């Protein structure tokens, strides 16, 4: 138990930070600014984030002023302040958008097969209505490893395929930037809404989402970008340029904000669709987007200040990205397997490495859903409780993989340690479940 | 303002082996309120006792030691403990209770899960909380089908329980008469005519019933209203935002509302961001999805549906990353309340103080209490303010002036007098709603009266431009 680490007003070494002094180098020495257990080798920053101590201390103060500052985030993502609101988490943001659409029978909603489980479930829920109106749910199949070019081709091909299959439907309700957009409401029949991952979760891959948005524009498809992992990881997000119809990201993952804080971006041209916040607010009048979402932004200024002090976004990117690539190579060596991202396109801070477990060429050949669940549970317990380390682990396209997170407090040796842990755990899995 | 450390120093939290001080000002030390703030408005946002602040802070640090261990291995059993404790308090089973961020959220979960059809009726009240009323409006505002029609019951206080029940019953009969050609055969499971296997259930009537209204802060005869609704085949969603920790002896197994919700961060001393949603097992099939939809969502078309149904409890265990310290420290709030003397002792003190304090306040400002026979008061008391009364709307105040007066009262009370009670315009008069808490005493009401006398006079002079 971390006794005596109470918040203090003075900057004391190791407890808060002195902005007039240079920060220590990235790696082991930065761990003191995070509240993680000393011995815990955290290679899973991506799941829940890790709140730096200065921010944790600040949030403990009784007199903690909750700042409303969408300006910081808007600037970071290249949008206007009035196009950005804060919501509790990414799932909430996705639900806000998808549940505000007034669906009609015949509408298509497209999710990627690799979409975060919870995001996919809201699509399912909407299409599961026992009566009208319910959109039809279809999915784009992504089987990694894939290159950017392959991802783009997959998306374009399958999208066109679905349009062909539903050729009898008049998809005339297109976004305002698409050809064929009409201001005549009565002329708008059905619509296609695509949920596109900016980053997939498992695998952790940066998607060529800008290109996918462009395809959506051409094809008259509404594009919601689930970029939960983007803010604080993806460099140069420029929404004004990319022009997605909706975009969302978690601030408490890579941006060092306190759990739970996410940002939802809705460009002005689409705000009329977001009729109500969720829950509906006192300020509901039918459309006033920003006013309906007045929520605190939880330490954004402090998070930004800390990141600036550490060296700024570019410095953080350079360190974490390099470590992600090198760490993955080292891990693959230790495991005698391979990295998923062969040409480096898919990786920012989260590399994916194959695990030394049997591969299946046909679904069901080796693994049943029950076995997969058992293996996942075993991994969780052994890694966390016996080895005091973690990375997410998942079954995809016939093989087992792990997704690591490279953060400013990580070093190459962390990946080596993880490798050791994974070798032992996989041997255990094979012994227990395959003998 | 005390800055909390992880370990409280003597007096900052409580020593469970010692007897508590008596109710009243001696208890102020256990709350984080400014020393000079006379808080008679506990009802709006609650007030977090220091023991809870320490408990929450401890968890903040504990969670950050290893977020994966916490979220993947530890959290669920802690949440279950909290749910069990709350369920016990309200006479429900543990698996009928889930925790959500706030009452408005809980209300949205219920109303947005109903699959509405054209012809359905959604009934609120003129005294319904703003955001709840807006949720009802939003559902009725769809630009195309299906949308329920929105209906409102007018409650103009003062009213007795008997009068409220009459108005309630009359409205149900009225809408059934008005919509006589609609087949309201989609009735709740406990109502006559319920058929589990009916394929096409036609239309339904759903009512949102306040157990304790917000403005005025009045205890409603909600159990009787539920009974009447049940007889009439009407679904009841009880908005009990103020109930838990204020209403004594809530027994949901007995009262049998179709859905019930309450904020633990109002009167139960939990950290803000914690509310309870109760859905009895017979109705859980209606709550198809949490909001946001969860990992644990079960599609009716999947094989798991036979076994899990809508998976009500598991769906609400996790709906995305958030701060969970408010959920897992509910037992700490309950333990503190036990130490203070327990639910009955707290209720007795606060209820008596609300009654006495209301009378005293009315004396000081020269007006009257809203609750003439004591039926409407749990631990909140409503007293008329010394400002002009209207018999017809517009006689005295323009809308702009009403708005200005509200702002004026708020600013002056909080900044100059360092005291507060919610104030509101209702049925031609200005009222305040005082909350009696364990740290309040009669003298607080006297002080508030002094403040209101001065501020109301100033308001009349400056905003209504009358010389008083």
């Amino acid at each position: 138990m971390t006794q005596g680490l109470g918040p203090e007003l003075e900057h004391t070494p190791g407890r808060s930070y002195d902005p007039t002094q240079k920060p220590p180098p990235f790696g082991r020495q930065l761990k003191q600014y995070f509240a993680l257990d000393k011995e815990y080798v955290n290679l899973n920053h991506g799941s829940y984030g890790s709140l730096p101590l200065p921010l944790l201390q600040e949030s403990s103060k009784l007199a903690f002023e909750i700042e409303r500052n969408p300006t910081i985030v808007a600037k970071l993502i290249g949008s206007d302040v009035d196009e950005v609101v804060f919501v509790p988490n990414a799932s909430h943001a996705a639900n806000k958008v998808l549940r505000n659409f007034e669906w009609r029978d015949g509408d298509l909603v497209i999710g990627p097969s690799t979409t975060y489980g919870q995001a996919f479930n809201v699509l399912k829920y909407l299409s599961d209505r026992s009566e009208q109106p319910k959109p039809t749910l279809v999915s784009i199949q992504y089987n990694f490893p894939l290159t950017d070019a392959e991802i783009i081709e997959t998306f374009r091909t399958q999208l066109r395929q679905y349009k062909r299959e539903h050729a009898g439907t008049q998809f005339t309700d297109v976004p305002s930037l698409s050809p064929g957009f009409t201001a005549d409401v009565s002329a708008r029949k059905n619509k296609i809404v695509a949920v596109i991952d900016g980053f997939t979760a498992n695998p952790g891959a940066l998607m060529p989402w800008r290109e996918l948005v462009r395809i959506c524009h051409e094809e008259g498809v509404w594009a919601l970008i689930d970029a939960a992992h983007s803010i604080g990881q993806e460099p140069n997000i420029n929404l004004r340029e990319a022009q997605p119809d909706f975009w969302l990201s978690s601030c408490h993952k890579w941006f060092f904000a306190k759990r739970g804080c996410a940002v939802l971006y809705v460009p002005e041209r689409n705000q009329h669709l977001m009729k109500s916040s969720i829950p509906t607010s006192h300020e509901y009048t039918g459309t006033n987007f920003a006013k309906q979402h007045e929520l605190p932004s939880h330490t954004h200024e402090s998070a930004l200040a800390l990141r600036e002090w550490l060296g700024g976004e570019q410095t953080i990117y350079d360190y974490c990205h390099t470590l992600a690539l090198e760490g993955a190579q080292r891990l693959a060596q230790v495991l005698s397997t391979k990295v998923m991202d062969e040409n480096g396109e898919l990786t920012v801070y989260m590399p994916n490495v194959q695990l030394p477990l049997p591969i299946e060429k046909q679904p069901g050949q080796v693994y049943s859903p029950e076995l997969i669940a058992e293996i996942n549970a075993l991994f969780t317990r052994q890694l966390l409780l016996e080895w005091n380390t973690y990375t997410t682990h998942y079954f995809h396209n016939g093989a087992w993989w792990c997704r690591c997170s490279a953060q400013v407090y990580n070093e190459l040796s962390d990946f080596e340690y993880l490798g050791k842990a994974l070798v032992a755990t996989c041997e255990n899995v094979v012994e227990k479940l395959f003998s | 303002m005390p800055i909390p450390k992880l370990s409280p120093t003597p007096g900052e939290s409580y020593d469970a082996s010692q007897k508590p001080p008596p109710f009243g000002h001696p208890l102020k030390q256990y709350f984080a309120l400014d020393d000079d703030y006379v808080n008679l408005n506990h009802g709006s946002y609650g007030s977090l006792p220091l023991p809870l602040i320490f408990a929450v802070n401890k968890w903040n640090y504990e969670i950050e030691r290893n977020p994966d261990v916490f979220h993947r291995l530890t959290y669920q059993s802690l949440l279950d403990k909290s749910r069990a404790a709350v369920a016990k308090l309200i006479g429900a089973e543990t698996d009928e209770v889930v925790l959500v961020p706030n009452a408005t959220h809980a209300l949205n979960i219920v109303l947005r899960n109903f699959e509405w059809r054209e012809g359905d009726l959604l009934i609120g009240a003129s005294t319904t909380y703003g955001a709840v009323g807006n949720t009802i409006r939003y559902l009725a505002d769809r630009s195309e089908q299906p949308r329920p029609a929105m209906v409102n019951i007018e409650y103009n206080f003062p009213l007795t329980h008997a009068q409220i029940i009459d108005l309630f019953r009359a409205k149900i009969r009225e809408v059934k008469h008005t919509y006589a050609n609609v087949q309201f055969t989609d009735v709740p499971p406990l109502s006559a005519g319920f058929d589990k296997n009916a394929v096409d259930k036609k239309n339904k009537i759903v009512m949102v019933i306040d157990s304790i209204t917000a403005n005025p802060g009045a205890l409603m005869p909600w159990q009787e209203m539920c009974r009447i609704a049940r007889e009439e085949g009407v679904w009841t969603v009880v908005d009990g935002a103020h109930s838990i920790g204020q209403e004594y002896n809530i027994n949901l197994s007995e009262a049998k509302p179709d859905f019930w919700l309450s904020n633990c961060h109002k009167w139960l001393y939990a950290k803000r961001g914690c509310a309870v949603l109760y859905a009895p097992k017979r109705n859980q099939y209606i709550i198809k999805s949490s909001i946001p939809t969860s990992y644990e969502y079960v599609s009716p078309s999947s094989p798991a549906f036979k076994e899990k149904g809508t998976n009500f409890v598991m769906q609400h265990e996790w709906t995305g990353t958030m701060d969970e310290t408010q959920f897992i420290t509910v037992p700490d709030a309950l333990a503190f309340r036990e130490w203070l003397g327990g639910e009955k002792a707290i209720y007795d003190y606060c209820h008596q103080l609300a009654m006495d304090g209301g009378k005293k306040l009315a004396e000081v400002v020269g007006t009257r209490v809203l609750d003439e026979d004591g039926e409407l008061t749990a631990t909140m008391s409503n007293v008329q303010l010394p400002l002009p009364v209207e018999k017809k709307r517009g006689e005295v105040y323009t809308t702009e002036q009403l708005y200005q007066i509200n702002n004026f009262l708020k600013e002056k009370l909080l900044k100059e007098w360092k005291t507060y009670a919610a104030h509101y315009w209702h049925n031609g008069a200005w009222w305040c709603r005082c909350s009696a808490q364990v740290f309040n005493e009669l003298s607080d009401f006297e002080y508030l009266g002094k403040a209101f006398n001065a501020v109301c006079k100033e308001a009349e002079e400056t905003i209504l431009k009358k010389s008083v």
Side-chain angles (χ1 to χ4, degrees):
Chain A
M1 192 61 248
T2 45
Q3 294 290 333
L5 258 180
E8 283 157 26
L9 291 174
E10 257 64 57
H11 295 301
T12 33
R15 301 256 177 105
S16 184
Y17 68 104
D18 185 348
T20 64
Q21 297 298 313
K22 273 172 59 96
F26 285 176
R28 210 40 72 64
Q29 293 187 60
L30 271 190
K31 274 189 91 168
Q32 61 180 307
Y33 294 105
F34 291 82
L36 298 162
D37 259 350
K38 262 210 179 95
E39 301 80 34
Y40 176 50
V41 180
N42 185 15
L43 279 162
N44 191 36
H45 184 95
S47 278
Y48 308 107
S50 172
L51 193 59
L53 263 178
L55 279 75
L56 178 52
Q57 287 169 8
E58 226 180 277
S59 73
S60 301
K61 283 196 214 145
L62 272 173
F64 173 49
E65 292 291 317
I66 296 179
E67 311 137 40
R68 299 158 185 257
N69 205 339
T71 326
I72 288 176
V73 171
K75 208 159 147 212
L76 210 57
I77 63 179
S79 80
D80 287 343
V81 163
D82 286 336
E83 295 178 320
V84 152
V85 291
F86 294 111
V87 293
N89 54 52
S91 298
H92 201 115
N95 273 252
K96 234 226 78 144
V97 176
L98 294 169
R99 287 165 180 261
N100 260 298
F101 274 112
E102 283 187 16
W103 298 103
R104 292 179 166 188
D105 258 44
D107 283 349
L108 278 190
V109 63
I110 309 182
S113 62
T114 41
T115 214
Y116 184 63
Q118 199 151 277
F120 197 76
N121 277 350
V122 61
L123 300 179
K124 277 214 87 194
Y125 164 67
L126 290 171
S127 63
D128 271 347
R129 284 178 58 83
S130 52
E131 43 190 83
Q132 290 192 8
K134 38 180 186 257
T136 307
L137 174 61
V138 296
S139 76
I140 310 265
Q141 273 300 116
Y142 293 114
N143 295 317
F144 286 84
L146 292 168
T147 62
D148 273 359
E150 285 167 345
I151 293 168
I152 292 166
E153 194 49 41
T154 304
F155 181 78
R156 197 208 313 271
T157 310
Q158 291 189 35
L159 174 59
R160 295 213 172 132
Q161 170 73 9
Y162 285 125
K163 277 179 124 180
R164 265 198 302 279
E165 280 170 18
H166 293 84
T169 311
Q170 288 178 274
F171 292 114
T172 46
D173 185 358
V174 301
S176 52
L177 296 180
S178 290
F181 172 75
T182 167
D184 178 8
V185 176
S186 61
R188 300 191 209 142
K189 304 272 180 254
N190 285 103
K191 57 184 170 291
I192 306 177
V193 176
V195 176
I196 293 170
D197 285 340
F199 257 98
T200 51
N202 289 332
L206 173 65
M207 302 285 272
W209 61 274
R210 290 177 183 77
E211 187 59 29
L212 300 185
V213 166
R214 215 183 47 72
I215 294 174
C216 285
H217 283 155
E218 281 169 9
E219 300 277 345
V221 169
W222 296 85
L224 160 60
I225 312 301
D226 181 350
H229 277 276
S230 283
I231 258 194
Q233 177 175 190
E234 205 186 327
N236 293 333
I237 304 164
N238 189 340
L239 298 185
R240 221 171 266 116
E241 205 175 76
Q243 296 187 309
D245 290 303
F246 309 93
W247 183 93
L248 60 95
S249 189
S250 292
C251 300
H252 56 239
K253 276 187 190 293
W254 296 92
F255 194 60
F256 292 167
K258 188 170 191 283
R259 254 164 255 127
C261 180
V263 54
L264 171 63
Y265 161 87
V266 182
E268 221 194 302
R269 67 181 186 277
N270 289 335
Q271 287 182 8
H272 66 284
L273 290 168
M274 299 291 104
K275 298 201 162 118
S276 167
S277 55
I278 293 179
T280 308
S281 132
H282 276 290
E283 299 293 338
Y284 170 72
T285 58
T287 48
N288 49 348
F289 182 62
K291 197 107 216 295
Q292 284 195 51
H293 285 84
E294 285 194 357
L295 270 190
S297 75
H298 294 293
T299 68
H300 280 147
E301 266 173 30
S302 309
L304 197 68
L306 180 66
R307 293 170 75 81
E308 280 305 310
W309 179 67
L310 286 174
E313 298 300 321
Q314 187 62 46
T315 308
I316 293 174
Y317 174 83
D318 289 340
Y319 182 82
C320 295
H321 179 64
T322 309
L323 180 57
L325 296 177
E326 288 177 0
Q329 293 294 346
R330 178 62 59 89
L331 182 59
Q333 252 174 35
V334 173
L335 299 179
S336 306
T337 56
K338 57 167 178 162
V339 299
M340 179 184 283
D341 181 15
E342 283 156 30
N343 60 6
E345 281 179 323
L346 310 173
T347 311
V348 188
Y349 302 162
M350 296 194 295
N352 300 267
V353 178
Q354 198 174 317
L355 295 180
L357 285 173
I359 297 176
E360 61 178 28
K361 294 215 162 48
Q362 294 274 29
Q365 215 182 26
V366 181
Y367 303 95
S368 65
E370 291 76 34
L371 186 55
I372 290 173
E374 255 190 276
I375 293 175
N376 268 325
L378 206 146
F379 268 120
T380 302
R381 296 204 83 82
Q382 280 211 265
L383 289 174
L384 282 171
L385 300 179
E386 284 181 34
W387 290 88
N388 213 2
T389 181
Y390 203 62
T391 173
T392 69
H393 37 82
Y394 56 94
F395 185 74
H396 178 80
N397 199 17
W400 282 92
W401 302 83
C402 70
R403 177 201 81 189
C404 308
S405 299
Q407 253 294 4
V408 294
Y409 49 75
N410 290 121
E411 288 183 9
L412 207 55
S413 54
D414 293 335
F415 287 83
E416 285 168 335
Y417 179 76
L418 178 69
K420 220 166 131 190
L422 285 171
V423 165
T425 310
C426 288
E427 280 173 3
N428 211 339
V429 166
V430 169
E431 220 181 273
K432 271 208 169 95
L433 303 174
F434 286 97
S435 44
Chain B
M1 292 238 23
I3 296 171
K5 301 168 259 331
L6 279 192
S7 302
T9 53
E12 275 180 334
S13 187
Y14 68 103
D15 183 348
S17 65
Q18 298 297 314
K19 273 174 60 99
F23 287 170
H25 290 164
L27 280 187
K28 279 182 83 169
Q29 64 178 301
Y30 296 110
F31 290 81
L33 298 162
D34 267 344
D35 271 335
D36 55 355
Y37 175 48
V38 179
N39 184 13
L40 280 162
N41 194 39
H42 181 94
S44 278
Y45 307 108
S47 172
L48 197 59
L50 281 171
L52 264 294
I53 293 186
F54 282 112
V56 163
N57 265 348
K58 260 176 116 168
W59 274 113
N60 272 332
Y61 282 89
E62 182 68 24
I63 292 169
E64 291 308 316
R65 289 175 64 191
N66 194 325
D68 281 285
V69 162
F70 177 77
H71 286 97
R72 295 173 197 271
L73 300 178
T74 316
Y75 176 56
Q76 191 178 356
S77 62
L78 293 171
L79 180 64
D80 289 345
K81 259 172 86 182
S82 292
R83 286 172 44 237
V86 169
K88 194 159 163 224
L89 204 59
I90 58 178
E93 288 175 41
T94 305
D95 285 345
E96 295 180 319
V97 155
V98 293
L99 298 181
V100 298
N102 55 57
T104 309
H105 196 121
L107 191 285
N108 271 253
I109 290 173
V110 177
L111 292 188
R112 286 166 181 262
N113 259 296
F114 274 110
E115 282 189 18
W116 299 103
R117 292 179 165 194
E118 285 281 304
D120 283 348
L121 294 183
L122 184 44
I123 309 184
S126 57
T127 41
T128 293
Y129 185 67
V132 171
N134 277 348
T135 305
I136 296 175
R137 256 184 74 195
Y138 164 68
L139 292 170
D141 270 350
R142 282 178 59 85
S143 52
E144 45 190 83
Q145 293 193 7
R147 11 146 219 256
M150 190 177 102
V151 177
N152 254 355
I153 304 185
E154 261 311 286
Y155 292 121
N156 291 317
F157 288 83
L159 291 168
T160 63
H161 275 184
Q163 289 170 323
I164 292 168
I165 288 168
D166 278 343
L167 285 166
F168 181 78
R169 194 190 277 111
K171 181 57 88 175
I172 296 182
R173 302 250 159 101
E174 178 197 310
V175 298
K176 283 184 159 182
H177 187 75
T178 311
Y179 297 91
N181 57 335
V182 180
Q183 286 177 272
F184 292 114
T185 49
D186 186 355
V187 299
L190 296 180
S191 293
F194 175 74
D195 180 359
K196 191 170 173 199
N197 299 312
V199 167
D200 187 14
K201 288 194 188 171
K202 306 275 184 263
N203 287 105
K204 57 184 169 293
I205 305 177
V206 176
M207 292 189 86
V208 177
I209 296 171
D210 287 341
S211 57
I212 299 179
T213 50
N215 291 334
L219 176 63
M220 305 284 272
W222 63 275
Q223 291 95 333
E224 182 63 18
M225 290 155 87
C226 282
R227 205 187 53 72
I228 294 171
R230 201 156 45 242
E231 277 171 11
E232 299 276 350
V234 168
W235 294 84
T236 50
V237 181
V238 177
D239 181 350
H242 274 276
S243 284
I244 215 178
Q246 174 174 188
E247 233 188 295
Y248 182 64
N249 234 0
I250 301 166
N251 191 342
L252 298 184
S253 314
E254 213 174 76
K256 304 201 214 316
D258 289 305
F259 301 96
W260 182 93
L261 54 100
S262 189
N263 275 329
C264 302
H265 58 244
K266 274 191 191 291
W267 295 89
L268 201 63
Y269 297 167
K271 181 175 184 260
R272 236 156 272 127
C274 181
V276 49
L277 171 61
Y278 161 86
K281 295 222 165 110
R282 68 182 183 275
N283 289 336
Q284 287 181 7
Y285 73 96
I286 292 183
I287 309 298
K288 296 191 163 129
S289 166
S290 55
I291 294 178
T293 308
S294 147
Y295 248 141
E296 294 291 340
Y297 170 72
V298 178
S299 175
S301 58
S302 77
F305 193 74
K306 272 215 176 68
E307 182 206 324
K308 296 187 182 181
T310 53
N311 214 14
F312 177 64
V313 169
M314 284 310 291
Q315 277 211 54
H316 289 88
E317 193 227 356
W318 174 268
T319 59
T321 301
M322 53 188 292
D323 186 3
E324 293 108 352
T325 53
Q326 63 271 33
F327 297 145
I328 61 183
T329 50
V330 169
D332 294 89
L334 294 174
F336 179 62
R337 291 168 74 79
E338 271 311 302
W339 179 71
L340 285 176
E343 296 300 322
K344 182 113 209 329
I346 293 174
Y347 174 78
D348 285 344
Y349 179 82
C350 295
H351 173 67
Q352 195 57 49
L353 181 56
M355 300 291 289
D356 295 340
K359 288 204 182 77
K360 171 67 60 160
L361 179 60
E363 241 178 65
V364 172
V365 299
T367 58
R368 56 170 178 151
V369 297
L370 182 83
D371 182 16
E372 284 156 28
D373 57 12
E375 280 181 322
L376 309 175
T377 307
T379 62
M380 293 196 292
S381 179
N382 301 269
V383 176
Q384 198 175 318
L385 293 182
L387 284 167
V389 168
E390 278 189 350
K391 292 216 162 49
K392 264 180 70 175
R393 180 68 199 97
E395 247 175 18
V396 180
Y397 307 90
T398 64
T399 309
E400 179 64 24
Q401 282 172 332
L402 287 179
Y403 179 73
Q404 283 176 346
I405 290 175
N406 241 343
N407 258 358
F408 187 80
L409 291 175
K410 178 174 71 181
E411 296 274 331
K412 288 283 171 174
L413 288 172
L414 283 171
K415 292 184 178 163
E416 282 184 25
W417 288 85
K418 296 211 179 354
T419 180
Y420 202 64
H423 42 81
Y424 55 94
W425 170 256
H426 179 81
N427 200 16
W430 282 97
W431 300 84
C432 72
R433 177 198 80 188
C434 306
S435 300
Q437 255 296 356
V438 296
F439 50 74
N440 289 121
E441 288 182 12
L442 206 57
S443 56
D444 295 335
F445 288 81
E446 284 170 327
Y447 179 75
L448 181 69
K450 205 164 142 196
F452 267 128
N453 275 337
V455 176
C456 288
K457 179 158 177 260
E458 215 187 316
E460 255 194 283
E461 283 165 0
T462 56
I463 299 175
L464 294 180
K465 308 278 195 295
K466 289 166 132 183
S467 45
V468 178

